[in-house]
Amino acid sequence: MYFVHPTSQVGEGTTIGYYSVIGEEAILGRDCQVGHHVVIHPGTRLGDRVRVDDQTVIGKQPMKAAASAITTLRALEPAFIEADCLIGAMVVIYAGCRIGSRVMVADLASVREDVAIGEMTIIGRGVTVENKVTIGRRCKIETEAYVTALSEIGDYCFISPEVTFTNDNFLGRTKERFKHHKGVTMKRGARVGANATIFPGITIDEDGLVGAGAIVTRDVPARKIVLGAPARVVRDVPAEQLVDNQEW
């Protein structure tokens, strides 16, 4: 009670749930688990032992609204999910994504086109990752965080629940905004506390820490803690919390 296109390849030991659809020239590795009502679009590639839960869509082509400032309609490479990943229920992963090994994308998350995610990163429940974003290895992005388009997140970064990144200081008004779109950059080991808002073009340098509820309007120096609205430097990050002093 599922459909596998004759041109696709399904590895030994892979199981497919009821009413799922595997599109043209898709490749599923060995021992994958595909849930019920899953749609895997043409050309998508899953590595070995990938789990995809119910009602998830992988390899979706983007739509472009008439007023979209970032999305472009063009040929995209198929989505590629490497070995041992866990993809939750009702997740949407677009074409043009590459997801490294042992990544978890939790239920209800959305990962747009032209996104790269490094190995062992966790994308939490309900997280939105917009297009043209790079996320490093061993990051954790927690529930309902919003990562705006054009952002770059380095290795070992931590983003708490309900964090909001922004990339447009003009709030959609005047054509001037098209010259200034820029996402947020987090360097290696940077962290952001719950409900913080980060303005467009901001860099949080290595091991920088943004406190909960902060409004970040200027760059965060390396190994400094910032708090408040607008955020100000208050002290150094304790040495025992620095990324180089952790056991990974």
Side-chain angles (χ1 to χ4, degrees):
M1 298 294 291
Y2 54 79
F3 175 77
V4 178
H5 195 276
T7 62
S8 64
Q9 301 176 36
V10 178
E12 182 180 353
T14 289
T15 60
I16 301 172
Y18 293 121
Y19 306 109
S20 290
V21 176
I22 312 299
E24 297 94 323
E25 299 182 345
I27 299 175
L28 280 60
R30 297 166 57 93
D31 299 315
C32 294
Q33 301 174 49
V34 177
H36 307 305
H37 297 273
V38 170
V39 177
I40 296 180
H41 282 270
T44 297
R45 182 175 174 183
L46 306 184
D48 296 338
R49 299 174 301 279
V50 172
R51 170 179 156 181
V52 182
D53 285 355
D54 302 339
Q55 300 185 53
T56 281
V57 177
I58 298 179
K60 179 184 186 296
Q61 294 292 325
M63 299 181 292
K64 177 176 171 59
S68 176
I70 301 295
T71 302
T72 56
L73 293 179
R74 56 186 171 77
L76 291 169
E77 294 293 324
F80 181 19
I81 298 176
E82 296 188 20
D84 299 302
C85 287
L86 301 173
I87 311 298
M90 293 183 281
V91 170
V92 180
I93 296 174
Y94 283 63
C97 287
R98 187 178 183 107
I99 296 179
S101 62
R102 295 181 286 175
V103 167
M104 185 180 85
V105 182
D107 300 345
L108 302 169
S110 175
V111 182
R112 287 279 303 276
E113 69 274 14
D114 295 323
V115 169
I117 300 175
E119 64 182 20
M120 295 187 71
T121 282
I122 297 172
I123 306 297
R125 188 176 189 274
V127 167
T128 297
V129 180
E130 295 283 16
N131 50 330
K132 301 181 182 178
V133 168
T134 301
I135 300 171
R137 300 181 301 116
R138 291 180 177 265
C139 295
K140 188 171 185 181
I141 303 178
E142 295 199 321
T143 300
E144 301 290 347
Y146 176 77
V147 180
T148 193
L150 307 174
S151 295
E152 298 181 13
I153 298 171
D155 297 339
Y156 302 103
C157 288
F158 185 96
I159 298 175
S160 299
E162 306 290 347
V163 166
T164 300
F165 286 5
T166 61
N167 65 9
D168 179 7
N169 271 325
F170 292 81
L171 278 71
R173 297 286 173 85
T174 79
K175 292 183 179 180
E176 181 72 12
R177 73 187 193 276
F178 295 112
K179 301 177 184 179
H180 302 286
H181 272 122
K182 191 173 183 181
V184 173
T185 299
M186 294 180 68
K187 299 291 189 178
R188 180 175 179 268
R191 294 175 290 168
V192 181
N195 287 294
T197 299
I198 317 299
F199 274 31
I202 293 297
T203 295
I204 305 170
D205 212 336
E206 290 197 13
D207 271 315
L209 193 160
V210 175
I215 308 295
V216 182
T217 62
R218 62 182 68 184
D219 291 347
V220 178
R223 297 175 291 281
K224 299 294 184 181
I225 298 173
V226 301
L227 300 173
R232 296 286 188 268
V233 174
V234 294
R235 58 182 177 273
D236 292 341
V237 174
E240 65 270 17
Q241 293 188 20
L242 299 177
V243 68
D244 284 337
N245 294 332
Q246 308 308 305
E247 296 182 6
W248 302 104

